[in-house]
Structure formats: C-alpha cells, structure tokens
Amino acid sequence: VQLQASGGGLVQPGGSLRLSCAASGSVASINVMGWYRQAPGKQRNFIAAVTRDDGTRYADSVKGRFTVSRDNAKNTVYLQMNSLKPEDTAVYSCAAGTQVGANTYNMPYWGKGTQVTVSS
C-alpha cells in the first residue's frame, strides 16, 4: 500500500486547511486510515482515524476543530482542519492499516509527511 498526502501549507491562526491522502496498491488489506503529527522536538502523536464503515476517533486536542472523513471509492482520507492554532504546527502524516481493538490500530503503511504551519 502506498500513501500520498497533500494539502499542507502556511495558514494564519483561526484559518482552515484540508489535507488529503490517497492510497494505492493492495487497499483491500486496510480498514482504517488516519492522521498523525509531529512537532519539532516532540514525539509523533495520533490525531484522527476513520474506519471503512465511517467510525471516527479523535485526539482530545483536535476534537470539535478537525474532521476526518474518507471516500472509499477513491481510497482517500481527508482531514479538515478548522480554527487552527499555532500549536497545531507540525508535520502531518497519514497512515493506513487495520483496527485491532476498540481504540487500537496496527498502521504499517505511512505516507510522506506534509508540513502545516500556523502563524501570523
């Protein structure tokens, strides 16, 4: 499975961005796609995930501001980010794999990250 992310950039605080991640290859093997982010000097953290049947889960830090969705026909996952804050600045990476528990995923496939910078 190959993942190609796009949509990052520079945005002012309070602004919005939408990230996209398209999967190709053996996509039938995956049933969950998600987003993670890593800020400079910090560990990579889970942001959001969506299952094939549209079940979603979010990190507390983005609940109410970010929305994850997927288009199964296009094998693409989206992350709509609203009300962006400077602390949302990070490299955002998409991932794909399988759900192995209620809130646990095995994500062996990763796309190249895309930079999101929130600054005035």
Side-chain angles (χ1 to χ4, degrees):
V1 176
Q2 295 79 45
L3 302 175
Q4 180 67 49
S6 60
L10 172 65
V11 64
Q12 292 186 342
S16 298
L17 278 176
R18 189 174 86 150
L19 306 182
S20 301
C21 178
S24 60
S26 301
V27 297
S29 66
I30 62 177
N31 63 14
V32 61
M33 297 181 73
W35 293 93
Y36 294 72
R37 70 185 181 189
Q38 186 169 21
K42 296 187 177 181
Q43 66 180 17
R44 185 170 60 192
N45 290 323
F46 169 81
I47 293 302
V50 58
T51 62
R52 186 173 289 276
D53 59 359
D54 289 328
T56 57
R57 176 178 161 238
Y58 296 92
D60 288 343
S61 59
V62 305
K63 280 181 181 177
R65 299 188 298 123
F66 291 12
T67 301
V68 63
S69 61
R70 66 186 292 169
D71 184 332
N72 289 332
K74 296 181 179 180
N75 297 313
T76 298
V77 63
Y78 304 97
L79 185 67
Q80 178 66 44
M81 304 184 291
N82 298 329
S83 302
L84 282 161
K85 306 174 182 180
E87 52 263 44
D88 293 317
T89 296
V91 174
Y92 285 69
S93 299
C94 63
T98 54
Q99 186 171 13
V100 297
N103 292 316
T104 307
Y105 313 113
N106 175 31
M107 300 288 214
Y109 308 110
W110 290 83
K112 184 178 179 180
T114 184
Q115 177 70 45
V116 172
T117 302
V118 185
S119 175
S120 55

